[in-house]
């Protein structure tokens, strides 16, 4: 728990009653959305949201001997202005990424009783279902998910790894191994872009660094004007790697107090820095606020991978980024993800409590 967050009361956590897919089955075509999903204040206004090109970074060129200072400067610019980028040439073929998307769709298309074999337990984040309800005042997200820890391997709860579709376990194993390679390359590039020791971000992640994956399903919603797939938030990670739906938009980023639609680049992974990278960089990198809108006609899937430091590792700004002209902006934090979820469901940012 972050040192500054002890004022937050321990929530009473209960299992959410029904998944969105269950609600839609029970509604049998009725259009009414349950009250607990509806935003009475701050409803999404998607009518004027523009599509904005997010920087595209060629990972194959970033750390090669022939890579130029300009390429690193472009990378740094993406992380200081947007806090995110689309990465191509990351070592995964478009065909393999399509396999990952397809297994995600196949899992959520299974009969309810099959998916319920992998239900998350009370007080546990891993498993199938919906997110934890920590307050009766909480506005719920219009999403179902399968959340699994993949690294370190001892954190895996294999009983929650679906055996159907049959390809899921093997494909996820392969995908997460490839993501680890991408993660190391990105973390080294982050260090170089700040003229730091190559391994400083990677060592913060650690050999026992935590990678969790979240398969997301956003079913069609009859009230996209008042219901969100995911509420506005920034990630409590070092970095997050996202595989977007190939056809259906929904992700939006907040930049300069304005929402922008994130374009779909089918062969790319969308990577954003999280709060912990903002803290480590002493505010140079920006952890972007983002949200997911719902669609009245089409379902949308995505697969997010969250990279966090190993358990009990402390995070604070790198010493070489702190001096008289740029003082330390953040307190030391530890096990940030434990506090993060409480803040998220309250629509608050835990990084605000970490600022000096």
């Amino acid at each position: 728990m972050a040192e500054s967050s002890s004022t937050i009361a321990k929530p009473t956590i209960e299992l959410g009653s029904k998944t969105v897919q269950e609600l839609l089955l029970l509604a049998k075509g009725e259009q009414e959305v349950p009250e607990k999903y509806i935003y009475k204040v701050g409803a999404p206004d998607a009518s004027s949201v523009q599509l904005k090109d997010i920087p595209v970074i060629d990972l194959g060129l970033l750390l090669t001997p022939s890579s130029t200072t300009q390429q690193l400067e472009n990378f740094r610019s993406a992380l200081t202005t947007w806090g995110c980028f689309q990465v191509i040439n990351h070592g995964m073929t478009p065909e393999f990424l399509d396999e990952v998307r397809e297994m995600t769709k196949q899992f959520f298309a299974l009969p309810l009783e099959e998916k319920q074999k992998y239900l998350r337990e009370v007080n546990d984040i891993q498993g199938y279902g919906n997110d934890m309800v920590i307050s009766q005042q909480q506005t719920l997200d219009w999403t179902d998910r399968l959340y699994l820890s993949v690294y370190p391997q001892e954190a895996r709860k294999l009983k929650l790894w679906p055996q159907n579709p049959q390809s899921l376990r093997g494909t996820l194993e392969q995908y997460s191994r490839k993501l680890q390679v991408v993660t190391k390359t990105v973390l080294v590039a982050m260090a170089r872009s700040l003229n730091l020791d190559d391994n400083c971000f990677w060592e913060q992640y650690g050999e026992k660094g935590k990678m969790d994956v979240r398969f997301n399903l956003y079913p069609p919603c009859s009230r996209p004007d008042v219901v969100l797939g995911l509420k506005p938030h920034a990630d409590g990670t070092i970095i997050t790697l996202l595989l977007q739906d190939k056809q259906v938009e929904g992700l939006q980023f907040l930049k300069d107090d304005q929402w922008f639609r994130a374009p779909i680049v089918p062969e790319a992974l969308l990577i954003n820095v999280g709060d912990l990278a903002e803290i480590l960089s002493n505010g140079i990198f920006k952890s972007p606020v983002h949200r997911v809108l719902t669609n009245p006609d089409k379902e949308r899937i995505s697969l997010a991978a969250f990279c966090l430091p190993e358990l009990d590792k402390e995070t604070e700004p790198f010493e070489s980024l702190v001096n008289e002209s740029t003082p330390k902006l953040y307190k030391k934090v530890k096990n940030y993800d434990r506090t993060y979820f409480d803040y998220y469901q309250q629509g608050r940012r835990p990084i605000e409590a970490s600022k000096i």
Side-chain angles (χ1 to χ4, degrees):
M1 182 176 285
E3 294 172 357
S4 55
S5 58
S6 56
T7 54
I8 289 216
K10 181 81 173 167
T12 303
I13 299 172
E14 58 187 45
L15 197 60
S17 52
K18 289 182 174 58
T19 63
V20 176
Q21 281 185 305
E22 263 185 283
L23 292 171
L24 291 172
L25 279 173
L26 291 169
K28 295 176 182 173
E30 291 179 18
Q31 295 298 299
E32 195 166 329
V33 173
E35 189 79 10
K36 59 187 177 181
Y37 290 93
I38 293 175
Y39 279 81
K40 298 171 183 65
V41 180
D45 176 16
S47 57
S48 60
V49 176
Q50 297 176 332
L51 188 70
K52 193 87 167 178
D53 284 337
I54 289 169
V56 176
I57 301 292
D58 186 327
L59 202 62
L61 296 177
L62 202 54
L63 296 181
T64 60
S66 61
S67 64
T68 64
T69 306
Q70 187 61 50
Q71 284 162 339
L72 269 179
E73 283 177 2
N74 291 345
F75 177 70
R76 174 173 168 155
S77 174
L79 297 187
T80 55
T81 57
W82 276 99
C84 62
F85 58 95
Q86 307 261 22
V87 66
I88 58 171
N89 201 4
H90 42 56
M92 287 178 265
T93 65
E95 292 76 18
F96 179 67
L97 295 182
D98 284 345
E99 276 182 49
V100 176
R101 291 183 180 104
E102 187 56 33
M103 77 173 185
T104 304
K105 290 178 182 175
Q106 286 176 1
F107 172 75
F108 286 114
L110 291 172
L112 186 60
E113 58 271 19
E114 177 68 23
K115 294 193 288 269
Q116 285 179 330
K117 292 177 184 176
Y118 310 105
L119 271 178
R120 71 168 183 83
E121 297 174 353
V122 178
N123 294 331
D124 191 6
I125 196 167
Q126 287 198 63
Y128 164 71
N130 45 20
D131 284 330
M132 291 179 275
V133 177
I134 63 170
S135 161
Q136 293 306 312
Q137 286 72 50
Q138 183 177 320
T139 304
L140 302 185
D141 295 328
W142 192 259
T143 182
D144 296 337
R145 79 333 180 250
L146 173 67
Y147 195 107
L148 301 170
S149 290
V150 290
Y151 292 115
Q153 291 199 8
E154 55 266 29
R156 296 180 181 183
K157 295 188 175 179
L158 291 177
K159 66 178 183 179
L160 297 174
W161 287 44
Q163 297 183 32
N164 191 4
Q166 291 183 344
S167 64
L168 191 145
R169 287 188 172 199
T171 305
L172 178 56
E173 177 73 57
Q174 193 179 352
Y175 182 62
S176 52
R177 275 203 309 270
K178 290 175 183 291
L179 285 184
Q180 284 284 63
V181 175
V182 174
T183 297
K184 183 160 192 179
T185 305
V186 169
L187 294 182
V188 170
M190 286 166 63
R192 283 193 192 174
S193 76
L194 296 175
N195 296 313
L196 299 174
D197 177 78
D198 272 8
N199 290 318
C200 63
F201 280 98
W202 176 251
E203 286 169 357
Q204 184 67 29
Y205 180 48
E207 289 303 322
K208 293 286 187 183
K210 190 175 173 186
M211 181 184 283
D212 293 347
V213 297
R214 176 178 166 131
F215 298 83
N216 297 303
L217 174 75
Y218 303 98
C221 178
S222 61
R223 294 298 310 275
D225 56 322
V226 290
V227 176
L228 283 169
L230 283 180
K231 58 179 66 67
H233 66 286
D235 292 342
T237 59
I238 299 178
I239 61 170
T240 301
L241 307 96
L242 180 75
L243 180 63
Q244 291 206 79
D245 193 293
K246 198 173 178 179
Q247 290 153 333
V248 184
E249 274 186 30
L251 179 64
Q252 299 186 346
F253 282 93
L254 188 65
K255 184 176 185 289
D256 302 324
D257 296 321
Q258 220 179 338
W259 288 105
F260 292 100
R261 289 153 46 209
I264 296 169
V265 180
E267 72 276 18
L269 296 172
L270 194 154
I271 299 180
N272 64 268
V273 298
D275 288 355
L276 295 178
E278 181 171 326
I279 290 170
L280 288 165
S281 69
N282 202 33
I284 296 171
F285 297 151
K286 304 301 180 192
S287 175
V289 173
H290 49 286
R291 67 182 183 182
V292 174
L293 268 58
T294 51
N295 188 296
D297 308 307
K298 300 172 184 174
E299 73 173 26
R300 178 179 177 271
I301 57 99
S302 67
L303 176 54
F306 307 111
C307 299
L308 297 146
E310 59 190 84
L311 199 64
D312 293 329
K313 186 180 274 283
E314 294 179 327
T315 300
E316 63 181 325
F318 292 123
E319 282 184 19
S320 54
L321 298 177
V322 176
N323 53 50
E324 284 184 18
S325 59
T326 54
K328 186 176 180 181
L329 299 178
Y330 301 90
K331 304 169 190 172
K332 187 183 292 185
V333 299
K334 186 167 76 168
N335 298 332
Y336 190 79
D337 56 319
R338 293 182 179 176
T339 306
Y340 172 83
F341 196 83
D342 305 345
Y343 277 88
Y344 168 76
Q345 294 298 5
Q346 297 171 48
R348 298 168 61 202
R349 291 195 65 186
I351 199 167
E352 296 301 325
S354 306
K355 289 181 178 176
I356 292 174

